[in-house]
Amino acid sequence: MATVRLAELSWPEVRDLVARDPVAVIPVGAFEQHGPHLPLMVDAHLCETVVLASARQAAARGIAITVTPVVWTGYSPHHRDFPGTITLDDKVFSALVGQVAQSLWHAGFRRIVVLNGHGGNAHLLRNLTQTLHYDHSLRVHAASYWDFALPVLARWRQSPVGGINHACEMETALMAATRPDLVRMDLAADHYLDRPRWFGSDLLAGGTVTTAASFASLSPSGVIGAPTLATPERGAELLAAMTTAVADFLVDLASWPRPADPTATTESEP
């Protein structure tokens, strides 16, 4: 199988790839604290891991696809009270991801998707897709990698509401399956918020109230959730399911109408 990494291609190979009308994926992560038991690289590592595995699976199913290097830092001001966190502000983050997308569009890519691995980026990416479309006439899609596997995640979890949020059951299990050398389960401890129903403090709980707060004011350890329930075996099971779910989306995206003129395809685009 040919490489799915854009960085490993020469420019003539990219030109030939563009002629096949490929899907181009931009993985986006963050560089922030994940409690005492996980490293700062969690979001970037997990996003890139899921995206590359999904892209390879999609390529094996016959679609042309490529993946840019991961955007390793994102919007994380709520974590900066913990040493080591590196954050971009909202304007710089949106400009960075937006200019990566614009560069791909200029090269001829028309099926561009940003796959996100950090909850703090999600609202900015939703806005960015609008800005790129209405101000720059680009069609770009955005989602978080777990969005495609929420039903699977609901069946997989063992924690109650509040157990899947940050450095939690999910992220700890995925890290244990992919980088066990960086996981310190002896330092893992569960932490739940008092109001999980209203503030969306669980990936599967939603939330009707929006606010802003330092993570340090919510959790002295930086953990929200139940990392003690994580095991490498459960992480491998979840990773396989997430990879297949994302690959299904990428294969489907390859069949959507090609947006040569974004404003002309608004009604026909899924």
Side-chain angles (χ1 to χ4, degrees):
M1 185 187 303
T3 182
V4 298
R5 294 179 183 266
L6 182 65
E8 295 178 353
L9 299 177
S10 66
W11 75 258
E13 290 172 324
V14 175
R15 176 194 58 198
D16 294 344
L17 176 64
V18 167
R20 298 172 59 198
D21 191 21
V23 172
V25 187
I26 307 169
V28 178
F31 195 90
E32 63 187 29
Q33 71 84 21
H34 278 76
H37 69 290
L38 292 177
L40 301 168
M41 62 180 275
V42 168
D43 291 343
H45 166 71
L46 292 181
C47 186
E48 185 176 41
T49 298
V50 171
V51 167
L52 286 172
S54 301
R56 291 180 181 117
Q57 188 178 127
R61 291 160 64 177
I63 74 164
I65 189 166
T66 194
V67 178
T68 73
V70 65
V71 178
W72 60 268
T73 186
Y75 183 69
S76 304
H78 45 304
H79 290 285
R80 63 188 172 196
D81 288 336
F82 293 92
T85 295
I86 298 176
T87 182
L88 306 177
D89 68 28
D90 55 344
K91 295 180 180 63
V92 171
F93 172 78
S94 297
L96 173 59
V97 179
Q99 289 180 27
V100 174
Q102 289 180 67
S103 295
L104 292 173
W105 189 275
H106 184 77
F109 293 94
R110 291 297 180 267
R111 305 181 187 278
I112 302 171
V113 58
V114 181
L115 286 181
N116 173 49
H118 168 54
N121 296 336
H123 61 298
L124 297 180
L125 291 174
R126 284 192 289 270
N127 184 67
L128 179 62
T129 62
Q130 305 296 308
T131 299
L132 290 173
H133 182 73
Y134 295 114
D135 294 354
H136 302 282
S137 297
L138 274 69
R139 174 61 60 85
V140 175
H141 313 280
S144 298
Y145 68 82
W146 54 79
D147 289 338
F148 305 99
L150 292 180
V152 172
L153 188 57
R155 295 190 298 269
W156 173 89
R157 71 179 306 163
Q158 295 178 353
S159 62
V161 172
I164 296 182
N165 184 298
H166 184 76
C168 56
E169 179 184 10
M170 180 187 82
E171 289 187 320
T172 303
L174 292 172
M175 285 298 296
T178 58
R179 288 299 306 268
D181 56 310
L182 298 179
V183 178
R184 289 286 308 274
M185 289 302 295
D186 58 311
L187 299 178
D190 299 348
H191 180 80
Y192 289 85
L193 295 185
D194 294 333
R195 300 286 189 274
R197 176 182 177 189
W198 300 112
F199 291 100
S201 65
D202 190 280
L203 196 62
L204 298 171
T208 57
V209 178
T210 299
T211 189
S214 166
F215 243 67
S217 70
L218 302 174
S219 170
S221 70
V223 173
I224 297 178
T228 61
L229 296 176
T231 66
E233 295 76 18
R234 296 187 65 230
E237 175 190 357
L238 182 60
L239 179 63
M242 286 180 158
T243 296
T244 297
V246 174
D248 288 345
F249 163 71
L250 296 174
V251 171
D252 191 48
L253 177 60
S255 70
W256 292 8
R258 177 181 168 88
D261 178 2
T263 58
T265 60
T266 301
E267 296 302 321
S268 60
E269 187 75 19

